[in-house]
Amino acid sequence: MPTVLIVDDDPKLLKMLQRTLVYENLNVLTAGNGLEALPMVSSQKPDLIIVDWMMPKMDGLTFIQKLRDEANQTMILMLTARDAIENRVEGLESGADDYLVKPFAPAELVARVHAMLRRVEARPENQTVAYADLSLDPATREAKRGDLSLSLTVTEFNLLHFLLRHPRQVLERRQILNDVWGYDFGGDDNVLEIYIGYLRKKMEAGGHPRLIQTVRGVGYVLREE
């Protein structure tokens, strides 16, 4: 049974979310803020974390950043009433894998949760894929750019794996979102741009040339310049 950790300082919302996800046959843990949740992540190792942005003691943004700084790759869904584009970008740049704006329908939350858990449980083809000096081994979850080892989150790994399965092929944004995010993506398209940026930063460390090229008005292509 997958385990979901919900981190929110609103007791009523916390109870509603817990009841909703327990009904979905999930093991649900709860915490009132990021400071309380951090040791639970280490001890309970949840498959998915749902975290509110605005909380006392340690807000959601700081909580996510601390996890990512520690190379924790647990999938994270951020909840927030902040719906401006710049807020969504900030949330995703902190390391969240997806973003849901309050108020939301419980059915939408359930759909996002199941989609994200399917991404965690999915087992990519075990065959190593490679292009140029870039390689990825789904069996060991290792990715390398030449001698450079790439430390990737679940979403970064899945995105790179998809690109490596289609080298030199121009991929439309919607095609990438639907495949990598695991459902008919209805969120902000900025999520893809942000994660492409994450991969570029890691892949281009040490002066490596760019491999993920932007095709304006269409999407992206894995191709040498």
Side-chain angles (χ1 to χ4, degrees):
M1 180 186 297
T3 296
V4 179
L5 171 61
I6 308 172
V7 189
D8 198 300
D9 65 322
D10 183 339
K12 290 183 179 179
L13 180 61
L14 201 61
K15 189 171 183 178
M16 184 275 287
L17 294 177
Q18 182 179 27
R19 184 171 59 247
T20 299
L21 295 182
V22 166
Y23 185 77
E24 295 296 317
N25 199 32
L26 298 172
N27 180 38
V28 181
L29 308 172
T30 62
N33 58 68
L35 196 60
E36 179 184 342
L38 277 178
M40 297 177 67
V41 175
S42 300
S43 62
Q44 302 298 320
K45 294 180 171 51
D47 301 286
L48 172 66
I49 301 171
I50 301 172
V51 58
D52 187 33
W53 186 326
M54 300 301 295
M55 296 181 294
K57 296 184 179 179
M58 182 185 291
D59 62 27
L61 212 62
T62 304
F63 170 73
I64 295 172
Q65 290 168 341
K66 283 187 175 293
L67 289 184
R68 296 312 189 212
D69 287 345
E70 296 170 0
N72 186 293
Q73 299 180 1
T74 306
M75 295 283 280
I76 299 174
L77 173 62
M78 172 170 275
L79 305 180
T80 180
R82 299 182 173 188
D83 60 355
I85 293 297
E86 56 268 25
N87 295 139
R88 299 185 189 204
V89 170
E90 186 179 4
L92 293 168
E93 286 185 337
S94 73
D97 295 281
D98 206 347
Y99 190 107
L100 189 57
V101 177
K102 298 178 181 179
F104 53 82
E108 182 178 6
L109 174 76
V110 168
R112 296 282 185 100
V113 166
H114 282 307
M116 295 179 77
L117 289 174
R118 283 195 296 271
R119 289 160 58 192
V120 173
E121 295 167 0
R123 294 293 181 265
E125 301 171 5
N126 286 329
Q127 184 176 0
T128 297
V129 286
Y131 175 73
D133 61 348
L134 178 66
S135 65
L136 182 149
D137 185 348
T140 62
R141 308 291 292 185
E142 291 179 340
K144 288 187 175 181
R145 180 81 192 270
D147 295 330
L148 177 66
S149 181
L150 307 177
S151 177
L152 304 177
T153 67
V154 173
T155 299
E156 291 167 352
F157 185 93
N158 291 341
L159 175 55
L160 184 57
H161 187 251
F162 182 68
L163 294 173
L164 276 167
R165 297 201 318 268
H166 303 87
R168 297 181 298 276
Q169 179 181 338
V170 176
L171 302 168
E172 296 183 359
R173 296 175 61 87
R174 188 58 48 179
Q175 179 185 1
I176 301 172
L177 285 166
N178 288 346
D179 187 283
V180 176
W181 271 256
Y183 58 100
D184 187 12
F185 188 75
D188 191 339
D189 281 5
N190 280 313
V191 67
L192 176 56
E193 181 180 351
I194 289 167
Y195 271 91
I196 289 291
Y198 288 163
L199 285 180
R200 283 174 171 165
K201 183 177 180 180
K202 293 180 179 182
M203 290 166 55
E204 296 167 17
H208 287 283
R210 176 157 296 182
L211 281 181
I212 303 177
Q213 316 296 341
T214 300
V215 182
R216 293 190 179 278
V218 182
Y220 298 93
V221 58
L222 187 69
R223 182 174 60 204
E224 292 180 286
E225 291 181 311

